[in-house]
Amino acid sequence: MKWLIIVIVLNTMPLSAQFQFNFSNAIQVISDGQILDKAWDGGLNTPQFSTLDYNYDGLDDLLIFDRSANQLRVYKAIQNGANFSYELDPRAHLFFPPNLTYRLTTFDYDQDGKKDLFCYAVGGIMAYRNVGSASSGLQWQAYSPYLVSDYEGPVLNLYISGADIPALVDVEGDGDMDILTYHISGEYLQYHQNQSQELYGHSDSLIFVLKNRCWGKYREDVTSNSLFLNDSSPYCNEGNVSNPELKPNEAAKAHAGSTVLALDLDNSGVLDLVLGDVAYGNLIRLMNGGTAPNTNSPMVSADYNFPSNSIAANVQLFAAAYFLDVDFDSNKDLIVAPNANNVSENENSVWYYKNLGTNQAPTFVFQENDFLQQEMIDHGFGSVPLVVDLNADGLLDLLVANFFAYQPVLDKVSRIAYYQNMGTNVSPELLLIDEDLLNLSSANLGLRLLPAVGDLNGDGMPDLLLGNDLGQIIYFLNSSTPTNLSFQLQTTALVDQNNTPIQVPLFSAPQLFDYNADGLLDLLIGHKGGTIYYYQNTGSISAPQFSLVSTNLGGVSVQSNGPDGFSVPHFFQYQDTTYLFVGALDGRIHFYDSISVAANQIFHERSEDFLGLSAQIGAYASACVANLDNDAHLELYVGQDLGGVFLFENEPGSDLSASVGQVMKCVIYPNPTNGSIQIKGITGQLSAAIYDLTGQHLMAFDAITDGQTFDLAHLSAGTYLFVLANGQTTLFCKE
């Protein structure tokens, strides 16, 4: 066995080691009396669930693709004796195809014991064959640009709407993967039969024929989610179709979206259906009246409150169901989550039903509506963290604002969660005190209420400013007592030097920070346009006066692919030097170093995508730096559109670290290895070399690229150095 131990050394600038950050779960968070084991995993909104043994250890790991952010999370299955659990692997998404959108699922179509990957392609579906192994690591081979089907004449793109989740399932029980998906009109379920077994006698191909355009012999009403069983329309009477094109009277109909789960619910040998509709929050169970597969037997009953034996699933919009074992008892459970992007629940949005029956005849019993979320900081959509001493007790607390949370029915509210530090200044313990600080959700102050905290009247107590979606700055004066945290909304607006209420174009993101180092808190404001407004405090400690100095401080602009940037600035000082993080709409965190207050200074941007986090965040990034535990390492708190918070700790020497000057998301995999290694996360072409620990040069590689595999079979057991031309050094061992 070859063991791979990764140690990162970046030879850049003297400050680089001070600004390397690793993903961490070290700071304890408590909610409702429970320690949140996955506190810093980032939250969930509209997750899709599937399984894959990504590290080839014999255990099915959990893949979660959240379509609201197009984020992929990989949870590694951990076995400890008889106990099992899931643990986030923050690097694993690097080993999956990039730019995944809309949907992702797995199915072992070639029956080689390794699940393959199926994801969205324009108007259809794309497949990636799993060609990795325990020795080479996870690797993918694109099957084709997209899957096609023989529509009884023309071979066309196998159409699947971007809103749909089709059923990838063996319909006729012959071992190959078929597809059930809705017709472009949305009324009828089409059956695309895989011809692999018919043509070749094995299941290693994805060759489809439209077998039936009304599978199950039912029709969905185009104006509701009502279903008409034993439908008598020509589609349902014709069986195998001769012309799959829309009929003239269907041309105006548009398919809005459906989710399809096909499984045998009663051990009858034929597939039943569990359906979700884009405009409704319930699940519909259709029972198949047949006894033999692939006979296109009709659906004979419909349950609109599935599972009716328990608490029926009821999300706000567009329920999707997933059949997989999440509790490691070998029985597949039912997971239900919304598939509607940002128009349905974004907290308490994952329903878990335990299977108390068998895989052949499941019985689903409701357990919770916050599966995994209950173990995370998760506050809706678009989280923005701020670490401050809110109650003036000498300990740093945590505030988590959000863009909005959905509440029934289609109601958006903005809140700020307050986590009070109940530990010590060296051993912090964050306790959720209030999910809705100051009852802001009912205060009618707007959306995206983003906080800034600082003493504005010189009484030693931190006051509160809020930005909102209208670009305003809302002022709360601290009126707390030692036993009661209290803030009073000020009716008089915060004004500038012209006595005009301070306001930026839209979506204000304020920060109070002594920018010019004169002992007074200045006001820095990000906004939708992506720049930073600078209001200098020309008043006093007890009577601030804010004068507009710049609408584009430092030349910062985080716009991307259009006029919007949604800048969220965070200035901070470290070792007498001022730095700046700016979160942005596109998920990037921009980093600026060595900031001075010289007139008309253009800030030096050291990284436009700090830590390479945009691939992990999705959108609406924000960042906050603090040191809750007063050790030698800063913490980086990152908010994003899934409503949770990522925590990174300043600890050099990790494979998930980055210097001030360089994005570093490089990963070498597998670890351990017994054959070869693969490198992911590098940009451009670099050279590399392998040395033993005596310094002897053993191997050299020119023009290596991202995803390249290195065969180490000829190396003896021992410890070696893998050195990239940019100064990154990796230590690996071989047994």
Side-chain angles (χ1 to χ4, degrees):
M1 172 118 7
K2 311 160 187 82
W3 289 90
L4 188 66
I5 305 171
I6 300 170
V7 178
I8 305 294
V9 179
L10 293 169
N11 299 326
T12 52
M13 304 181 61
L15 284 175
S16 65
Q18 300 167 352
F19 285 86
Q20 297 175 8
F21 290 87
N22 313 324
F23 177 82
S24 174
N25 226 336
I27 293 179
Q28 185 169 280
V29 182
I30 298 173
S31 176
D32 294 328
Q34 300 295 319
I35 297 174
L36 304 186
D37 292 333
K38 298 176 175 58
W40 307 104
D41 283 11
L44 297 170
N45 285 348
T46 54
Q48 302 170 3
F49 291 81
S50 55
T51 59
L52 170 76
D53 182 8
Y54 84 103
N55 56 356
Y56 306 98
D57 65 352
L59 297 176
D60 263 350
D61 309 296
L62 190 62
L63 300 188
I64 302 178
F65 178 77
D66 202 304
R67 69 167 300 189
S68 80
N70 292 321
Q71 287 186 38
L72 175 62
R73 306 273 178 85
V74 181
Y75 279 87
K76 180 168 62 175
I78 305 293
Q79 182 175 7
N80 184 11
N83 298 317
F84 295 84
S85 61
Y86 290 115
E87 181 180 292
L88 177 67
D89 184 341
R91 304 164 296 171
H93 65 281
L94 294 173
F95 292 92
F96 287 79
N99 304 317
L100 299 170
T101 58
Y102 294 116
R103 61 174 175 267
L104 180 142
T105 191
T106 58
F107 193 100
D108 183 12
Y109 81 88
D110 56 3
Q111 298 294 300
D112 64 352
K114 300 179 295 187
K115 291 182 179 179
D116 309 294
L117 198 67
F118 295 84
C119 56
Y120 175 77
V122 179
I125 190 166
M126 184 170 182
Y128 290 91
R129 187 183 177 208
N130 187 342
V131 295
S133 67
S135 60
S136 65
L138 191 62
Q139 298 184 54
W140 303 102
Q141 182 183 77
Y143 184 86
S144 66
Y146 49 82
L147 299 185
V148 298
S149 185
D150 185 346
Y151 284 78
E152 295 295 322
V155 177
L156 304 171
N157 179 21
L158 202 164
Y159 176 80
I160 300 174
S161 162
D164 281 8
I165 296 180
L168 310 184
V169 63
D170 182 6
V171 173
E172 69 267 40
D174 63 352
D176 56 19
M177 185 196 82
D178 309 301
I179 296 178
L180 296 173
T181 188
Y182 270 90
H183 187 278
I184 193 171
S185 73
E187 292 181 275
Y188 307 99
L189 190 66
Q190 292 184 334
Y191 167 34
H192 294 266
Q193 184 187 53
N194 193 339
Q195 299 296 291
S196 185
Q197 285 288 343
E198 284 78 4
L199 293 174
Y200 309 116
H202 45 75
S203 304
D204 61 352
S205 301
L206 296 169
I207 304 170
F208 295 97
V209 170
L210 178 58
K211 188 70 171 179
N212 195 290
R213 63 183 178 189
C214 185
W215 192 85
K217 297 186 181 296
Y218 73 93
R219 175 172 60 88
E220 182 176 328
D221 185 21
V222 295
T223 62
S224 71
N225 69 340
S226 296
L227 304 176
F228 303 100
L229 306 186
N230 287 302
D231 187 64
S232 59
S233 67
Y235 269 2
C236 294
N237 286 334
E238 289 173 2
N240 292 351
V241 296
S242 58
N243 183 0
E245 299 299 320
L246 288 175
K247 297 184 177 181
N249 65 343
E250 295 173 326
K253 298 171 183 176
H255 178 61
S258 298
T259 63
V260 184
L261 173 65
L263 70 166
D264 187 356
L265 287 167
D266 57 359
N267 201 22
S268 65
V270 294
L271 294 175
D272 311 297
L273 295 174
V274 177
L275 306 175
D277 187 281
V278 68
Y280 301 87
N282 64 309
L283 290 175
I284 304 174
R285 183 198 65 185
L286 289 177
M287 297 302 296
N288 197 323
T291 57
N294 202 29
T295 59
N296 193 32
S297 49
M299 301 295 165
V300 295
S301 66
D303 177 4
Y304 289 81
N305 296 292
F306 180 76
S308 55
N309 66 295
S310 183
I311 299 174
N314 186 22
V315 302
Q316 188 158 291
L317 280 177
F318 208 3
Y322 309 91
F323 187 49
L324 67 171
D325 179 18
V326 298
D327 57 5
F328 303 97
D329 66 354
S330 298
N331 288 330
K332 294 183 178 181
D333 310 293
L334 184 72
I335 298 293
V336 183
N339 195 51
N341 188 16
N342 297 330
V343 290
S344 189
E345 289 97 337
N346 48 30
E347 51 186 358
N348 298 331
S349 58
V350 186
W351 295 47
Y352 163 43
Y353 294 83
K354 183 176 177 61
N355 182 1
L356 298 182
T358 65
N359 291 331
Q360 294 73 35
T363 299
F364 300 120
V365 177
F366 176 80
Q367 304 295 306
E368 60 204 12
N369 66 353
D370 54 359
F371 175 67
L372 295 181
Q373 292 169 305
Q374 63 177 320
E375 304 177 66
M376 304 178 186
I377 295 172
D378 190 346
H379 297 288
F381 176 85
S383 58
V384 178
L386 178 63
V387 177
V388 292
D389 183 6
L390 188 65
N391 60 348
D393 65 351
L395 301 176
L396 292 173
D397 311 301
L398 173 67
L399 300 179
V400 183
N402 65 11
F403 197 140
F404 59 82
Y406 265 109
Q407 295 183 343
V409 172
L410 296 178
D411 185 22
K412 295 180 181 178
V413 297
S414 190
R415 301 194 294 256
I416 297 177
Y418 170 41
Y419 292 82
Q420 183 180 342
N421 189 346
M422 307 297 288
T424 67
N425 60 1
V426 296
S427 184
E429 184 178 277
L430 299 175
L431 175 65
L432 178 60
I433 297 295
D434 195 343
E435 283 192 292
D436 190 8
L437 182 68
L438 307 180
N439 293 314
L440 293 174
S441 65
S442 57
N444 197 30
L445 298 176
L447 295 178
R448 208 175 191 235
L449 300 175
L450 302 189
V453 174
D455 183 7
L456 292 177
N457 62 353
D459 65 353
M461 301 293 289
D463 304 302
L464 176 67
L465 299 181
L466 297 179
N468 69 2
D469 55 339
L470 298 179
Q472 300 166 330
I473 301 296
I474 302 163
Y475 181 23
F476 287 81
L477 189 66
N478 196 330
S479 57
S480 299
T481 67
T483 59
N484 181 43
L485 188 68
S486 178
F487 292 84
Q488 299 299 317
L489 175 63
Q490 302 301 290
T491 57
T492 303
L494 210 63
V495 297
D496 63 12
Q497 72 273 20
N498 300 316
N499 206 35
T500 301
I502 294 174
Q503 185 167 358
V504 298
L506 288 171
F507 292 96
S508 47
Q511 183 188 8
L512 289 167
F513 179 78
D514 185 6
Y515 174 72
N516 61 349
D518 65 352
L520 302 177
L521 290 175
D522 305 301
L523 179 60
L524 299 306
I525 310 175
H527 65 104
K528 183 181 180 184
T531 65
I532 299 174
Y533 280 55
Y534 168 38
Y535 288 84
Q536 182 182 346
N537 189 347
T538 58
S540 65
I541 292 177
S542 60
Q545 295 182 359
F546 295 106
S547 299
L548 180 62
V549 176
S550 175
T551 61
N552 189 17
L553 181 64
V556 170
S557 180
V558 298
Q559 293 177 350
S560 63
N561 300 321
D564 296 341
F566 285 85
S567 52
V568 182
H570 179 73
F571 291 85
F572 67 100
Q573 278 199 322
Y574 184 70
Q575 296 185 350
D576 299 321
T577 301
T578 298
Y579 301 93
L580 169 65
F581 282 117
V582 183
L585 169 64
D586 62 4
R588 300 187 182 204
I589 295 173
H590 299 252
F591 182 75
Y592 303 84
D593 68 333
S594 303
I595 291 171
S596 71
V597 295
N600 301 316
Q601 181 205 17
I602 302 299
F603 296 162
H604 178 239
E605 186 173 31
R606 184 61 65 84
S607 174
E608 67 174 12
D609 188 10
F610 192 72
L611 293 179
L613 287 175
S614 61
Q616 188 173 354
I617 289 177
Y620 294 101
S622 62
C624 170
V625 173
N627 191 358
L628 256 75
D629 53 7
N630 285 286
D631 60 5
H633 310 299
L634 294 174
E635 303 111 22
L636 175 67
Y637 300 83
V638 176
Q640 36 79 51
D641 54 357
L642 295 190
V645 180
F646 292 113
L647 172 62
F648 300 88
E649 192 166 14
N650 173 222
E651 289 202 17
S654 167
D655 60 349
L656 192 68
S657 60
S659 73
V660 175
Q662 180 181 356
V663 173
M664 178 47 61
K665 51 183 181 180
C666 177
V667 181
I668 292 182
Y669 186 86
N671 180 19
T673 182
N674 60 15
S676 59
I677 57 174
Q678 184 185 16
I679 188 166
K680 293 285 289 186
I682 65 174
T683 57
Q685 291 189 336
L686 301 173
S687 60
I690 292 180
Y691 301 83
D692 64 20
L693 292 187
T694 68
Q696 181 179 356
H697 183 272
L698 303 177
M699 302 174 67
F701 310 93
D702 294 323
I704 70 170
T705 58
D706 190 54
Q708 185 166 336
T709 297
F710 304 91
D711 185 6
L712 308 178
H714 64 284
L715 291 181
S716 304
T719 303
Y720 303 87
L721 291 172
F722 188 98
V723 181
L724 287 175
N726 66 352
Q728 180 182 326
T729 302
T730 300
L731 177 71
F732 67 89
C733 302
K734 180 180 178 184
E735 277 188 354

